[in-house]
Amino acid sequence: PQGPAWAAILKYIHQNLAIFNDNDLPLLVGLLEDWSQGVHFWLYPYPEGCEDVATIAFELLKKTKNWSLKDFQKDLLKIIAKIPNASSDQFEELVERAINDGRKDSAAEEMSELLLRHLDANATCRDFPELIIKLANAKWIVKANPDELARLYPYGRYELVDVFGLDHHIDFDFFPPSAYHGPFLFILRTHPKAGLDFIIQLLNHCVSCYANPYGIKDYLERPWKITLELPNGLKAEQWCSDRLWCLYRSSSVGPHVLQSALMALESWLLELCQQNSAIVDRILIDLLTRSNNVAVTSVVASVAIAHPILTGQAAISLLKCPVFFELDRIRMMRDYSPSSKFLKDWPIINAEHGIYNEERTNADALKHRKLNLENLAITLQLSSFQNQVQEILDHYYEILPQINLQTNEDRIWRIALHRMDLRHYDIVKIERQGYLQ
């Protein structure tokens, strides 16, 4: 079929679906796949004939319960995921089955994997953001008390994801971590508020479990609390550790699903900055206000370093917490050997892994990876924020102990303050080989 003939033949098949048998299944699935190539996320989200395609696909799905037809089941589900609103009732019912009892329903479980683990979730994120967030929470978050955890893992065979309050097997689903892995970036692009709420709530829950991990802390360090001063005069308490700060760069050990969520958040915020959006600063301050952890704060720091003027007030808040300088130096040093450098030599299992690795390679090559919060302080002193930054530096000078009482840490911090303070720099002219510099 070509052009308007598609809608006609699909309606004909829909009206006469009863005359087809199991032997016709490959031909029908192939026809629907050919039609689905014309679906475009923005330009043609629901081409003519989409209702007939959805009805045919759901009817054929009933015939794929046989194990030998599982491959066709996945193909049909991919077609349905491209046009979820074409038969919204059946689609929502399928996802609800995945939420309530997916492991006993192969079609529902397969749809759950497509929407949460693969690149087939963009249309669902656009049309049903609340539904996919509900599915993610049901599949990822473990609602277990200490007694239940002890019963599930009686010999202490805990994984890192258990400490973060996530499903025991979820880490296998999200390797390699990437901004494209999972539904996070798709939701942020189409429904920013819902996406931000989703990521903040997920990180807040997981870090709360990590900070108070039901006694599962024999082999894992505990985070500590820091207080962050916000532009509106309020203070926010956040759980802090270098593990959390470096999570978005995948340079510390943590659940891959959380790394992917933070990578998606950073990627989306950098996209907003490239559009020179005036709301970036407000979004960053909102993130700092609502987050209970520095995993999200480190993403704010990354965006502020990349675009200091756009993120002025949020950037000033970051400079008021001295521990962030040390954490970001650790992150910067680890960024000299990013994860993509190791993954590029690994065999690519499938095309999706190649996409994830390429996204990380591009992200690792961004110029601001080799900068840290000290560079942010210097850059802001060349703008209208000069006085605010220098007031912060003066405060740090004042609270330093006397020189004869300073420890090595105090001396290192004093040197860092000297590097950041432009008042200690002199502008001189140097003539070299006939050039004035």
Side-chain angles (χ1 to χ4, degrees):
Q2 291 182 0
W6 269 115
I9 197 170
L10 289 169
K11 183 169 291 295
Y12 179 79
I13 293 173
H14 177 195
Q15 293 171 347
N16 296 276
L17 198 56
I19 69 173
F20 295 95
N21 55 40
D22 291 349
N23 294 329
D24 300 315
L25 186 62
L27 185 64
L28 291 173
V29 173
L31 182 71
L32 298 185
E33 285 184 317
D34 288 345
W35 174 87
S36 70
Q37 299 305 310
V39 177
H40 188 279
F41 184 76
W42 292 118
L43 298 179
Y44 304 106
Y46 291 97
E48 192 176 0
C50 61
E51 293 86 358
D52 293 310
V53 169
T55 303
I56 295 168
F58 275 109
E59 286 299 317
L60 296 180
L61 198 60
K62 299 174 184 177
K63 300 182 179 182
T64 60
K65 295 181 180 180
N66 189 315
W67 184 257
S68 62
L69 300 176
K70 289 300 178 185
D71 288 341
F72 295 116
Q73 180 186 84
K74 188 170 185 177
D75 294 336
L76 288 168
L77 290 172
K78 285 187 174 184
I79 295 167
I80 291 170
K82 280 189 171 185
I83 49 170
N85 228 357
S87 183
S88 58
D89 292 341
Q90 293 186 84
F91 180 79
E92 291 186 63
E93 189 268 337
L94 179 62
V95 176
E96 288 291 345
R97 277 159 42 198
I99 292 171
N100 297 324
D101 199 16
R103 298 191 184 280
K104 296 180 181 179
D105 186 328
S106 63
E109 185 65 13
E110 186 68 47
M111 177 59 84
S112 171
E113 291 188 12
L114 287 175
L115 297 181
L116 297 181
R117 292 171 47 188
H118 299 288
L119 295 171
D120 302 277
N122 52 357
T124 305
C125 293
R126 179 195 62 210
D127 298 338
F128 297 95
E130 295 83 5
L131 187 62
I132 200 166
I133 291 172
K134 182 180 178 182
L135 175 64
N137 288 330
K139 291 295 183 181
W140 295 344
I141 295 177
V142 174
K143 300 175 179 63
N145 58 41
D147 295 335
E148 290 173 330
L149 284 174
R151 178 178 57 79
L152 289 172
Y153 312 112
Y155 303 107
R157 295 176 181 172
Y158 303 111
E159 298 290 341
L160 192 62
V161 289
D162 302 318
V163 178
F164 280 85
L166 295 168
D167 183 83
H168 191 66
H169 304 288
I170 193 174
D171 239 22
F172 297 104
D173 300 339
F174 278 87
F175 183 84
S178 166
Y180 294 153
H181 210 156
F184 308 105
L185 189 57
F186 297 132
I187 298 178
L188 285 169
R189 286 174 173 172
T190 53
H191 299 274
K193 185 180 183 306
L196 290 170
D197 292 343
F198 175 37
I199 292 175
I200 290 173
Q201 290 168 11
L202 177 65
L203 266 295
N204 283 355
H205 165 81
C206 292
V207 174
S208 294
C209 293
Y210 164 52
N212 303 282
Y214 313 117
I216 311 172
K217 55 183 182 236
D218 296 336
Y219 64 95
L220 200 65
E221 83 289 341
R222 289 288 301 277
W224 67 93
K225 273 195 173 181
I226 57 97
T227 301
L228 181 64
E229 185 178 336
L230 301 172
N232 53 14
L234 299 177
K235 296 183 184 296
E237 285 193 338
Q238 296 184 344
W239 290 107
C240 181
S241 73
D242 64 315
R243 181 189 298 273
L244 294 174
W245 188 271
C246 297
L247 206 57
Y248 81 102
R249 294 295 299 129
S250 194
S251 57
S252 64
V253 180
H256 294 144
V257 64
L258 299 185
Q259 293 178 357
S260 296
L262 293 167
M263 291 171 181
L265 178 61
E266 184 200 30
S267 179
W268 178 72
L269 289 170
L270 290 175
E271 288 175 3
L272 281 186
C273 290
Q274 289 171 359
Q275 299 167 14
N276 205 29
S277 177
I279 65 170
V280 173
D281 195 21
R282 281 182 290 163
I283 292 174
L284 296 185
I285 293 172
D286 179 63
L287 289 172
L288 294 176
T289 303
R290 293 199 287 154
S291 172
N292 72 352
N293 60 86
V294 299
V296 174
T297 301
S298 62
V299 173
V300 174
S302 172
V303 177
I305 293 169
H307 300 274
I309 307 304
L310 272 178
T311 60
Q313 291 304 321
I316 292 295
S317 294
L318 296 172
L319 298 181
K320 293 180 179 179
C321 192
V323 70
F324 290 169
F325 289 89
E326 176 61 24
L327 292 175
D328 208 49
R329 275 196 295 271
I330 294 172
R331 186 274 313 161
M332 183 189 70
M333 295 306 297
R334 292 178 182 177
D335 269 343
Y336 279 93
S337 297
S339 58
S340 62
K341 188 177 290 187
F342 303 101
L343 292 176
K344 71 177 183 180
D345 295 325
W346 285 33
I348 296 176
I349 300 174
N350 54 50
E352 282 190 3
H353 280 205
I355 293 172
Y356 301 147
N357 290 343
E358 183 181 3
E359 185 274 329
R360 278 298 90 194
T361 300
N362 294 335
D364 293 340
L366 294 175
K367 293 181 179 180
H368 72 279
R369 300 298 184 209
K370 304 297 174 64
L371 306 177
N372 60 31
L373 287 178
E374 290 185 26
N375 302 99
L376 175 62
I378 292 172
T379 304
L380 288 176
Q381 288 176 79
L382 301 173
S383 70
S384 58
F385 298 100
Q386 180 188 59
N387 292 336
Q388 290 178 266
V389 175
Q390 291 179 352
E391 286 176 8
I392 294 171
L393 296 177
D394 289 338
H395 171 70
Y396 288 146
Y397 285 129
E398 291 173 4
I399 62 177
L400 272 173
Q402 295 181 6
I403 291 180
N404 60 333
L405 299 177
Q406 290 179 4
T407 63
N408 283 337
E409 289 76 12
D410 293 328
R411 296 187 188 100
I412 292 171
W413 177 232
R414 194 177 79 217
I415 293 171
L417 292 175
H418 191 85
R419 284 196 302 263
M420 286 185 276
D421 195 343
L422 289 186
R423 292 170 293 185
H424 294 152
Y425 288 74
D426 292 325
I427 300 176
V428 297
K429 294 181 180 179
I430 302 175
E431 191 170 343
R432 182 183 302 170
Q433 295 180 354
Y435 292 95
L436 194 63
Q437 297 186 344

